[in-house]
Amino acid sequence: MAPPMKIVFGLLTFVTVGMIIGALFQLAFIRGLEDSYGDDFPTTKLHRRQSDGYLKLPRGMSHWHGDKEAEILRLGFVKPEIISWSPRIIVLHNFLSNEECDYLRAIARPRLQVSTVVDVKTGKGIKSNVRTSSGMFLSPTEKKYPMIQAIEKRISVFSQIPAENGELIQVLRYEKDQFYRPHHDYFSDTFNLKRGGQRIATMLMYLSDDVEGGETYFPMAGTGDCSCGGKTVKGMSVKPIKGDAVLFWSMGLDGQSDPNSIHGGCEVLSGEKWSATKWMRQKPTF
């Protein structure tokens, strides 16, 4: 009689096994970061007070000094916090430096246009009252800029998804009263699946502070209440804090699209919410 583990793995598809292994590697990576830091994590308040410099390691992290890879990954700054397993969501505190946030806003501001959503029939972008922000995509040329390359590599390592599987980064601005209704990032049309396959995960990075409202809302996560645009609702929400990022998965470990990954951008009550989004696919996109 075959051992139980052989029976289990015999029933799993190749995609499922690959996603489980990837999830385990990612969890081991995050746990390794937590163990290596001990109690020396910089707090969010410290990050917001200081001028951390671009790709500089914090004090007290002498074992990484001089390590360029550690600087690119912001080891010693990035603090992972797993907030949900279903859907799978990780908040990465201090993921971007102040300089990286300001840089992305600066190159995006003169090129902002009214945001669109994907038409499920044609796969093309169309204007909709579901999404009321403005935004732009970085160009393939801009992907080669040193600061963008550092961000792209960091996204790849923390998500454990190859950089070539990522779409171009999109920068968004939400002004007062603007929002994005709850939606899924995975595609329901066949047009968009032709280039890179289905979306696996999303890295959502916050580029501004002093925003009231504008939370990222996951109605199917958690079992309690949360704040969303000044209202108390069921589910879980993440407050936009400059430099933080939210990494969440649109596909479950069974290799299927996860309906619990539905999420939205809550209404901005005051200030401007700037963010940058990176979607990752099953296969290379370029």
Side-chain angles (χ1 to χ4, degrees), residues 78 85 133 268 283:
V78 181
W85 284 110
S133 60
V268 172
K283 298 176 290 186

Side-chain angles (χ1 to χ4, degrees), residues 21-31 33 37 68-75 78 80 88 90 92 95 148-166 201 203 247 249 278 280:
I21 291 174
L24 291 175
F25 271 118
Q26 185 193 50
L27 182 59
F29 172 75
I30 289 173
R31 293 304 188 201
L33 280 180
Y37 293 167
K68 296 302 181 183
E69 290 292 304
E71 291 181 354
I72 288 174
L73 298 179
R74 284 178 60 78
L75 299 184
V78 181
R88 192 152 45 116
I90 299 176
L92 298 165
F95 187 74
I148 303 301
Q149 284 186 330
I151 296 172
E152 294 270 10
K153 183 167 186 176
R154 201 175 308 146
I155 292 171
S156 176
V157 170
F158 277 88
S159 68
Q160 293 291 282
I161 298 174
E164 58 267 25
N165 288 31
M203 183 73 82
L247 173 61
W249 279 259
K278 179 79 171 180
M280 282 80 77

